[in-house]
Amino acid sequence: MGEDGSVTSAPQRPDGPTPTPRLIATDLDGTLLRDDKSVSLRTVAALAAAEEAGIEVFFVTGRPARWMDVVSDHVHGHGLAICANGAAVVDLHAGREFVQVRALPRATALTVVETLRAAAPGTSFAVEMTTGINYEPLYPPFFQDPGAHVATAEKLLEEEADDTAAPVLKLLAHHAELAPDEFLALARSAAGAYASITRSSPTALLEISGLGVSKASTLELCCAERGISPAEVVAFGDMPNDVEMLRWAGTSYAMGNAHPDVIAAASGRTVANNEDGVAVVIERILAERAAHQG
């Protein structure tokens, strides 16, 4: 269930007929994936049918490339996915190879660390790089990474800070006491001039990218390379890190389990992720397309 409860009735579509898109952009966790992190057979079939109909599908997620195995078998055609909230474009057909990286400068990350330590004492940090994640001793290791280095964020960001250092994709900031949206608002007020700050976790865990880097801005770049306009994109999401993407796309759907800010940003609403809300809309788009062609 989302932060404002679930929707179990039929999807609320935008005004007018659902356009036939050239590209579908969908978030993963809480959106395409069920709560058990699986992709349902119905969703697998809908994605394949969309690609067969000539509609490109982009997975657009906050996940790092190393966590993309769950959908690697369901990418057709181009094989590309947007990861780390737009900081990376990876080729899932080529072993998650980085095609494009929009890094967070280490000096900027250090400024954000200093600023948030002052604004929200007790904040702990992790540093997500193209080579993996490293984190501070007090940062909750949500997913154990045996190759991680544990040290202060300042040390992690200053280590090997030369031309050969691995690019920083995003900085993660966790607070054990603040409410998630309270922490997000505080961080944006204090450090929003230095970096893009958002969240996708139900906990007070922030994701901090280079200024101007977001799911929306990287998706826009990928679409521009293909000559695809916002009006030809249908997007799906459930959390604040999806808001910009949903506003940018010509047609967008908040999941039934979505955060209130996502519902406000989207042009329509579908059922919850556990009810295959993305598949429901794709099936309708393809059915309307078939009826029109018939």
Side-chain angles (χ1 to χ4, degrees):
M1 179 177 290
E3 298 184 29
D4 67 322
S6 294
V7 168
T8 57
S9 59
Q12 300 171 8
R13 69 178 69 193
D15 293 336
T18 304
T20 298
R22 291 181 60 193
L23 186 144
I24 290 170
T26 178
D27 172 51
L28 295 182
D29 296 281
T31 301
L32 188 80
L33 305 182
R34 292 191 166 188
D35 287 348
D36 64 3
K37 307 304 179 185
S38 67
V39 186
S40 73
L41 293 176
R42 179 180 184 181
T43 297
V44 169
L47 295 174
E51 292 278 5
E52 186 176 351
I55 303 170
E56 291 192 74
V57 176
F58 261 81
F59 299 133
V60 188
T61 178
R63 287 185 173 220
R66 65 183 185 279
W67 291 355
M68 294 299 288
D69 286 351
V70 65
V71 292
S72 292
D73 292 339
H74 310 306
V75 177
H76 307 271
H78 56 78
L80 301 179
I82 297 171
C83 296
N85 291 329
V89 179
V90 301
D91 188 341
L92 299 182
H93 287 169
R96 304 189 298 275
E97 174 183 324
F98 287 95
V99 175
Q100 181 181 18
V101 172
R102 304 178 70 195
L104 171 65
R106 287 175 181 249
T108 302
L110 283 166
T111 299
V112 172
V113 168
E114 179 183 3
T115 303
L116 291 187
R117 287 204 198 281
T123 300
S124 59
F125 295 93
V127 182
E128 178 72 49
M129 298 179 290
T130 54
T131 52
I133 190 168
N134 299 319
Y135 43 80
E136 295 190 315
L138 295 180
Y139 182 85
F142 298 103
F143 296 91
Q144 294 285 352
D145 188 331
H149 295 156
V150 180
T152 65
E154 289 84 353
K155 183 172 178 57
L156 293 171
L157 289 166
E158 288 171 354
E159 286 181 344
E160 301 177 358
D162 56 31
D163 293 340
T164 65
V168 175
L169 296 177
K170 62 181 178 179
L171 186 68
L172 297 153
H174 179 266
H175 204 284
E177 298 177 2
L178 293 175
D181 284 334
E182 178 187 6
F183 190 28
L184 177 59
L186 175 63
R188 284 177 169 172
S189 176
Y194 309 119
S196 297
I197 306 173
T198 190
R199 77 176 188 89
S200 60
S201 170
T203 66
L205 177 64
L206 305 183
E207 301 163 65
I208 302 163
S209 306
L211 196 62
V213 175
S214 68
K215 291 184 175 186
S217 61
T218 301
L219 177 62
E220 182 176 14
L221 292 173
C222 291
C223 286
E225 291 174 353
R226 291 160 172 75
I228 296 175
S229 69
E232 298 172 303
V233 177
V234 174
F236 299 86
D238 73 306
M239 288 296 281
N241 63 331
D242 297 313
V243 165
E244 293 93 340
M245 178 175 73
L246 299 181
R247 287 176 176 159
W248 177 82
T251 304
S252 58
Y253 289 88
M255 306 305 293
N257 48 291
H259 184 281
D261 290 351
V262 175
I263 296 169
S267 58
R269 197 171 183 191
T270 186
V271 294
N273 62 315
N274 284 334
E275 299 174 77
D276 302 326
V278 173
V280 168
V281 175
I282 292 175
E283 290 166 357
R284 188 179 69 218
I285 290 171
L286 296 178
E288 291 179 353
R289 173 175 170 160
H292 177 76
Q293 292 176 339

